[in-house]
Amino acid sequence: MDQQPDLRYLCLAVKRWSKLTGLNTATSPDGGGLTSYGFHLLLVYYALRRRLVAYVAPESIQWGDIAPVPAALPLRFPGDADGADAWRGRSLGERIAQDDASAARVGEWALDFVRFYLHEFDYERDVASLSRGAAAAGLVTTEALQWTRQEEYAARGRGEYLFYRFCIEDPYEINLNVGRHMSSVKLMIFKKHLEKALETGLAFIPADEKAKQRVKPKGRSSSAPL
């Protein structure tokens, strides 16, 4: 994140979105199948695939030298105090170090992050891996790691309850899928939330609020501002 400091704000946005949507609860029967750690790995993998950052071997990172992540995301979302006013265009740039370009960049990344995992990442074939060098980014497959449906069924026979529907390789553990709690149903729910996120840029808007935004007062033309 030191290479692209603004990615820290995207990281916080992704985490907040995952919590509000209920996706960020791995082991709960009603949870989404991933933890904050898993979402952070997805973000770094996305940044590598988009060449936003250069590859750094996980074992070479000096954790004590990393600047702390900001305590709060410098954005307001609908549902926060005064969030609705901010959502209607009130001074987004001033919430990210008074820098409009920075705000726009984070917004573009947020939508591109959603599009990447909705339309580009192949859940049957791809493994989000940070363990095998920059040249391997996007090339690690489920077949190569034997993280397949067949292995999933074999694990059932051994009494192991895990899934290989969304494969995220842990960079610090051997043969550990961080997405092992993501069932086919949870993956479907995850994709549905990604579809909704394209409308909101990772902001979580309750259904009733979204309905209000879509209903236009009678007598106004389609081009008139709300």
Side-chain angles (χ1 to χ4, degrees):
M1 296 299 179
D2 288 344
Q3 299 177 39
Q4 282 280 11
D6 286 341
L7 280 174
R8 293 170 177 266
Y9 299 116
L10 178 59
C11 181
L12 289 171
V14 169
K15 182 176 180 180
R16 186 180 192 279
W17 168 78
S18 69
K19 292 282 189 180
L20 289 172
T21 55
L23 295 172
N24 193 329
T25 46
T27 57
S28 168
D30 299 324
L34 287 178
T35 61
S36 295
Y37 179 55
F39 279 103
H40 292 167
L41 292 179
L42 291 179
L43 177 61
V44 176
Y45 179 75
Y46 157 78
L48 283 170
R49 289 292 301 273
R50 288 292 192 253
R51 293 185 170 89
L52 299 177
V53 295
Y55 179 79
V56 177
E59 63 272 13
S60 70
I61 297 174
Q62 300 296 319
W63 295 104
D65 297 335
I66 298 176
V69 175
L73 180 68
L75 296 172
R76 283 178 293 182
F77 295 102
D80 296 341
D82 297 325
D85 289 336
W87 184 252
R88 285 193 282 268
R90 222 181 68 187
S91 191
L92 183 64
E94 67 182 8
R95 300 305 303 273
I96 302 182
Q98 305 296 319
D99 186 347
D100 290 335
S102 181
R105 187 162 51 248
V106 173
E108 290 169 1
W109 287 340
L111 290 175
D112 192 47
F113 172 86
V114 172
R115 293 190 190 101
F116 177 79
Y117 285 106
L118 190 57
H119 299 302
E120 297 183 36
F121 187 85
D122 188 328
Y123 292 86
E124 291 284 342
R125 181 197 65 201
D126 295 341
V127 177
S129 175
L130 310 180
S131 306
R132 300 166 191 274
L139 300 178
V140 180
T141 66
T142 54
E143 283 289 341
L145 299 185
Q146 297 184 358
W147 286 2
T148 61
R149 298 285 181 89
Q150 291 76 11
E151 180 57 29
E152 182 181 302
Y153 300 146
R156 296 282 194 282
R158 300 191 297 268
E160 300 177 43
Y161 194 71
L162 51 80
F163 300 94
Y164 291 121
R165 310 303 171 97
F166 193 178
C167 294
I168 308 166
E169 187 176 24
D170 193 307
Y172 299 104
E173 297 286 343
I174 297 175
N175 195 34
L176 179 62
N177 177 21
V178 177
R180 63 192 178 278
H181 299 294
M182 183 75 80
S183 66
S184 57
V185 173
K186 290 182 178 182
L187 180 58
M188 178 186 67
I189 294 172
F190 175 75
K191 291 179 180 178
K192 289 293 184 183
H193 278 296
L194 288 177
E195 292 174 358
K196 293 180 181 178
L198 282 178
E199 303 174 10
T200 64
L202 290 180
F204 178 72
I205 304 179
D208 58 334
E209 290 297 324
K210 286 199 292 184
K212 291 177 184 176
Q213 291 182 14
R214 290 174 178 167
V215 175
K216 296 181 179 180
K218 293 181 180 180
R220 291 192 176 187
S221 67
S222 59
S223 61
L226 294 179

